[in-house]
Amino acid sequence: DAKTTQPPSMDCAEGRAANLPCNHSTISGNEYVYWYRQIHSQGPQYIIHGLKNNETNEMASLIITEDRKSSTLILPHATLRDTAVYYCIVRGYANAGKSTFGDGTTLTVKP
Amino acid sequence: NAGVTQTPKFQVLKTGQSMTLQCAQDMNHNSMYWYRQDPGMGLRLIYYSASEGTTDKGEVPNGYNVSRLNKREFSLRLESAAPSQTSVYFCASSENRFFTDTQYFGPGTRLTVL
């Protein structure tokens, strides 16, 4: 099962870009990289996912390296409401029940 | 569209008592999941159901049982609660088709076992 490694915590100034890294060196060819976030003790919220191309939506951008062994989630203009725990996981159709969330990165956005 | 709903929101049990946590989704999703989250920790998978009629163990299944009642509902039962099961329990669902599998989570049930 592909596992991920994330830094435990990061700080970011309000209005600046937040770049959250994730290593997933054992990712297999049909597994996607997913990012979720959890604000306070709410249920995790889906942010974005990708296979090998860079992806962008209204919330964030996802940059995946060419060898797919790592990725970066970018919040282009972080606000105080983006303070949360961010989880990077890998998951595919064949291993839907086997991916793990890990402990994530606690992002603190400061005024 | 309510998404994923969980009942109850809060529960306090005494050691040895039993209870069932309920989860329902209205998105016609094939797969459903139960996770637990201990303070300051990430989510750990307890059980999942890839499709109606099937269930499988996750990382931490001991002390729990599940029932996939129908496509909408997936319940988690604690037969004899222990203090180590004090946690926040999240239910999730996903379409689980093709090669992507985005999960949608409920608001959680906060369980304390005394």
Side-chain angles (χ1 to χ4, degrees), chain A:
Chain A
D1 304 338
K3 301 269 189 255
T4 62
T5 304
Q6 300 177 253
S9 63
M10 295 181 65
D11 291 341
C12 177
E14 188 177 20
R16 305 297 295 266
N19 296 290
L20 291 86
C22 180
N23 287 321
H24 32 78
S25 58
T26 59
I27 191 170
S28 63
N30 62 358
E31 288 181 320
Y32 284 69
V33 179
Y34 284 79
W35 284 83
Y36 291 81
R37 73 179 182 184
Q38 186 175 28
I39 298 174
H40 296 302
S41 299
Q42 299 175 22
Q45 174 193 23
Y46 164 79
I47 301 173
I48 198 168
H49 74 282
L51 183 63
K52 53 185 177 182
N53 298 321
N54 298 337
E55 302 287 345
T56 296
N57 63 19
E58 65 278 4
M59 290 181 69
S61 295
L62 174 60
I63 309 297
I64 302 174
T65 57
E66 192 169 343
D67 63 7
R68 302 210 324 125
K69 293 184 177 182
S70 65
S71 61
T72 301
L73 178 74
I74 301 172
L75 307 177
H77 305 286
T79 70
L80 299 179
R81 288 177 294 179
D82 291 322
T83 293
V85 179
Y86 288 77
Y87 297 99
C88 165
I89 66 171
V90 291
R91 163 178 201 101
Y93 180 78
N95 72 341
K98 297 185 184 301
S99 56
T100 59
F101 269 72
D103 292 335
T105 295
T106 299
L107 175 69
T108 303
V109 180
K110 299 184 175 180

Side-chain angles (χ1 to χ4, degrees), chain A residues 30 32 34 36 38 40-46 49 87 89 91-94 96-104, chain B residues 31 33 35 37 40-43 45 48 58-59 88 90 94 96-107 110:
Chain A
N30 62 358
Y32 284 69
Y34 284 79
Y36 291 81
Q38 186 175 28
H40 296 302
S41 299
Q42 299 175 22
Q45 174 193 23
Y46 164 79
H49 74 282
Y87 297 99
I89 66 171
R91 163 178 201 101
Y93 180 78
K98 297 185 184 301
S99 56
T100 59
F101 269 72
D103 292 335
Chain B
S31 299
Y33 312 83
Y35 293 88
Q37 185 174 37
M41 309 283 286
L43 284 78
L45 184 65
Y48 67 101
E59 296 174 78
V88 181
F90 291 102
S94 69
N96 193 18
R97 57 182 297 178
F98 307 118
F99 293 101
T100 64
D101 188 36
T102 300
Q103 293 182 85
Y104 298 86
F105 286 81
R110 282 141 185 85

